[in-house]
Amino acid sequence: MKIEKTPLEGSVLFKPKVFEDHRGYFFESFKAKVLVDNGLDFDFVQDNESKSQKGVLRGLHYQKGPHAQAKLVRVIAGSVLDVIVDMRPASSTFGEHFKVILSEQNKWQLLVPRGFAHGFLVLEDNTIFSYKCDNYYHKESERGVLFSDEDLNIDWGMTNDALILSEKDLLLPKFKDADI
């Protein structure tokens, strides 16, 4: 498995070695030893999965305080534009974002450290998104940042009126007003 640092402090991209033949393919989608050997010691306790149609935007979400979550995210079917924002005021990359296309074809996984907001735009119908969390969901600690905040300047690749968002995500605060 190839591991690449992203421009954001603490986040990495995992690119697995995929073995393909006439029967299909095989790859290791998770191996705790790989994380530990690279100084990324996480104890993942919960797996989540969502299925969405093209144009759905989920995010930007995070949990704060002792309920913050690191996530290891990937796409099982379809593709997404995955975006993370560093919400850690003491970080050298505070307020910066990183985006990458995760797909069924490339099988890449993105490690989203605690203290990052995370969201994704679905690029294909029937996309299945999966992620591991190192802490349990805690509703009272859930926070978010508005996807279209001009201070973040995230190019989602679609016009805002073409996106499908939840009411909750449309009402999230701007970055400068976020509860960090």
Short mmCIF file of all heavy atoms in Angstrom, two decimals, residues 16 26 28-30 44 46 50 53 76 94 100 111 128 134-135 149 153 169 171 176:
data_model
loop_
_atom_site.label_atom_id
_atom_site.label_comp_id
_atom_site.label_asym_id
_atom_site.label_seq_id
_atom_site.Cartn_x
_atom_site.Cartn_y
_atom_site.Cartn_z
N PRO A 16 -4.04 1.59 -2.29
CA PRO A 16 -3.75 0.16 -2.13
C PRO A 16 -3.20 -0.48 -3.40
O PRO A 16 -3.44 0.00 -4.51
CB PRO A 16 -5.11 -0.44 -1.77
CG PRO A 16 -6.09 0.45 -2.44
CD PRO A 16 -5.48 1.84 -2.35
N PHE A 26 -8.64 -8.16 -5.96
CA PHE A 26 -8.47 -8.31 -4.52
C PHE A 26 -7.55 -7.21 -4.04
O PHE A 26 -6.57 -6.86 -4.71
CB PHE A 26 -7.85 -9.68 -4.17
CG PHE A 26 -7.42 -9.76 -2.72
CD1 PHE A 26 -8.33 -10.11 -1.73
CD2 PHE A 26 -6.12 -9.44 -2.34
CE1 PHE A 26 -7.95 -10.16 -0.40
CE2 PHE A 26 -5.74 -9.48 -1.01
CZ PHE A 26 -6.65 -9.84 -0.04
N GLU A 28 -6.24 -5.31 0.07
CA GLU A 28 -6.45 -5.13 1.50
C GLU A 28 -7.04 -3.74 1.70
O GLU A 28 -6.37 -2.74 1.44
CB GLU A 28 -5.13 -5.26 2.26
CG GLU A 28 -4.58 -6.66 2.25
CD GLU A 28 -3.26 -6.79 3.00
OE1 GLU A 28 -2.60 -5.76 3.26
OE2 GLU A 28 -2.88 -7.92 3.32
N SER A 29 -8.27 -3.67 2.17
CA SER A 29 -8.92 -2.37 2.36
C SER A 29 -8.59 -1.75 3.72
O SER A 29 -8.73 -0.54 3.89
CB SER A 29 -10.43 -2.48 2.18
OG SER A 29 -10.99 -3.33 3.16
N PHE A 30 -8.16 -2.58 4.66
CA PHE A 30 -7.76 -2.06 5.96
C PHE A 30 -6.79 -3.03 6.60
O PHE A 30 -7.02 -4.24 6.59
CB PHE A 30 -8.97 -1.87 6.88
CG PHE A 30 -8.59 -1.39 8.26
CD1 PHE A 30 -8.21 -0.07 8.46
CD2 PHE A 30 -8.56 -2.26 9.33
CE1 PHE A 30 -7.83 0.36 9.72
CE2 PHE A 30 -8.20 -1.83 10.59
CZ PHE A 30 -7.83 -0.51 10.79
N PHE A 44 -10.20 2.21 15.48
CA PHE A 44 -11.50 2.44 14.85
C PHE A 44 -12.56 1.60 15.54
O PHE A 44 -12.37 0.41 15.76
CB PHE A 44 -11.43 2.15 13.35
CG PHE A 44 -10.59 3.15 12.61
CD1 PHE A 44 -9.37 2.80 12.08
CD2 PHE A 44 -11.02 4.46 12.47
CE1 PHE A 44 -8.59 3.73 11.40
CE2 PHE A 44 -10.25 5.40 11.79
CZ PHE A 44 -9.04 5.03 11.26
N GLN A 46 -16.24 2.20 14.86
CA GLN A 46 -17.55 2.25 14.21
C GLN A 46 -17.35 2.38 12.71
O GLN A 46 -16.51 3.16 12.26
CB GLN A 46 -18.32 3.45 14.75
CG GLN A 46 -19.70 3.63 14.17
CD GLN A 46 -20.45 4.79 14.84
OE1 GLN A 46 -20.30 5.04 16.02
NE2 GLN A 46 -21.27 5.47 14.06
N SER A 50 -23.10 5.09 3.47
CA SER A 50 -24.24 5.81 2.90
C SER A 50 -24.33 5.51 1.41
O SER A 50 -23.31 5.20 0.77
CB SER A 50 -24.12 7.32 3.13
OG SER A 50 -23.03 7.86 2.41
N GLN A 53 -27.31 9.62 -4.57
CA GLN A 53 -27.42 9.85 -6.00
C GLN A 53 -26.52 11.02 -6.42
O GLN A 53 -26.09 11.83 -5.60
CB GLN A 53 -28.88 10.14 -6.37
CG GLN A 53 -29.84 9.02 -5.97
CD GLN A 53 -29.41 7.66 -6.46
OE1 GLN A 53 -29.07 7.47 -7.63
NE2 GLN A 53 -29.38 6.68 -5.56
N ILE A 76 -17.05 2.56 -2.19
CA ILE A 76 -17.19 1.16 -2.59
C ILE A 76 -17.73 1.06 -4.01
O ILE A 76 -17.29 0.24 -4.80
CB ILE A 76 -18.11 0.41 -1.60
CG1 ILE A 76 -17.42 0.37 -0.23
CG2 ILE A 76 -18.45 -0.98 -2.10
CD1 ILE A 76 -18.28 -0.16 0.89
N PHE A 94 -4.52 25.47 9.41
CA PHE A 94 -5.84 25.90 9.87
C PHE A 94 -6.56 26.68 8.77
O PHE A 94 -6.02 27.61 8.18
CB PHE A 94 -5.70 26.77 11.12
CG PHE A 94 -6.98 27.35 11.63
CD1 PHE A 94 -7.99 26.55 12.11
CD2 PHE A 94 -7.18 28.73 11.62
CE1 PHE A 94 -9.19 27.09 12.60
CE2 PHE A 94 -8.36 29.29 12.10
CZ PHE A 94 -9.36 28.47 12.58
N VAL A 100 -10.07 15.56 -3.12
CA VAL A 100 -9.58 14.46 -3.94
C VAL A 100 -10.79 13.66 -4.42
O VAL A 100 -11.80 13.59 -3.73
CB VAL A 100 -8.61 13.57 -3.14
CG1 VAL A 100 -9.29 12.91 -1.94
CG2 VAL A 100 -7.94 12.53 -4.02
N LEU A 111 -7.46 9.51 5.04
CA LEU A 111 -7.50 9.59 6.50
C LEU A 111 -7.82 11.04 6.88
O LEU A 111 -7.07 11.96 6.53
CB LEU A 111 -6.17 9.17 7.12
CG LEU A 111 -6.13 9.27 8.64
CD1 LEU A 111 -7.07 8.26 9.28
CD2 LEU A 111 -4.72 9.07 9.15
N ILE A 128 -21.83 4.37 -3.19
CA ILE A 128 -21.78 3.86 -1.81
C ILE A 128 -20.49 4.34 -1.19
O ILE A 128 -19.39 4.05 -1.68
CB ILE A 128 -21.89 2.33 -1.77
CG1 ILE A 128 -23.22 1.89 -2.38
CG2 ILE A 128 -21.75 1.83 -0.32
CD1 ILE A 128 -23.38 0.39 -2.52
N ASP A 134 -12.97 6.59 14.69
CA ASP A 134 -12.24 6.18 15.90
C ASP A 134 -12.95 6.64 17.18
O ASP A 134 -12.39 6.52 18.27
CB ASP A 134 -10.80 6.67 15.88
CG ASP A 134 -10.64 8.14 16.19
OD1 ASP A 134 -11.61 8.91 16.04
OD2 ASP A 134 -9.54 8.53 16.61
N ASN A 135 -14.16 7.16 17.05
CA ASN A 135 -14.96 7.55 18.20
C ASN A 135 -16.42 7.39 17.80
O ASN A 135 -16.76 7.48 16.61
CB ASN A 135 -14.67 9.00 18.61
CG ASN A 135 -14.88 9.26 20.08
OD1 ASN A 135 -15.44 8.46 20.80
ND2 ASN A 135 -14.42 10.42 20.53
N ASP A 149 -19.16 28.54 1.85
CA ASP A 149 -18.51 29.68 2.50
C ASP A 149 -17.44 30.26 1.58
O ASP A 149 -16.52 29.56 1.16
CB ASP A 149 -17.89 29.24 3.83
CG ASP A 149 -17.32 30.39 4.63
OD1 ASP A 149 -17.04 31.46 4.07
OD2 ASP A 149 -17.13 30.21 5.84
N ASN A 153 -13.63 29.02 -0.05
CA ASN A 153 -13.42 29.04 -1.50
C ASN A 153 -13.24 27.63 -2.08
O ASN A 153 -12.30 27.37 -2.84
CB ASN A 153 -12.22 29.93 -1.85
CG ASN A 153 -12.19 30.28 -3.32
OD1 ASN A 153 -13.23 30.36 -3.97
ND2 ASN A 153 -10.99 30.47 -3.84
N ASP A 169 -27.73 20.93 6.44
CA ASP A 169 -26.46 21.37 5.85
C ASP A 169 -26.56 22.77 5.24
O ASP A 169 -25.57 23.50 5.20
CB ASP A 169 -25.98 20.36 4.80
CG ASP A 169 -25.45 19.09 5.44
OD1 ASP A 169 -25.30 19.04 6.67
OD2 ASP A 169 -25.18 18.13 4.69
N LEU A 171 -28.10 25.19 6.56
CA LEU A 171 -28.16 26.14 7.67
C LEU A 171 -26.87 26.19 8.51
O LEU A 171 -26.84 26.86 9.54
CB LEU A 171 -29.35 25.82 8.58
CG LEU A 171 -30.72 25.87 7.90
CD1 LEU A 171 -31.80 25.39 8.86
CD2 LEU A 171 -31.01 27.28 7.39
N LYS A 176 -15.87 31.36 9.80
CA LYS A 176 -15.48 32.33 10.84
C LYS A 176 -16.41 32.28 12.05
O LYS A 176 -16.03 32.72 13.14
CB LYS A 176 -15.44 33.75 10.27
CG LYS A 176 -16.80 34.29 9.84
CD LYS A 176 -16.69 35.68 9.27
CE LYS A 176 -18.06 36.15 8.84
NZ LYS A 176 -18.01 37.46 8.22
#
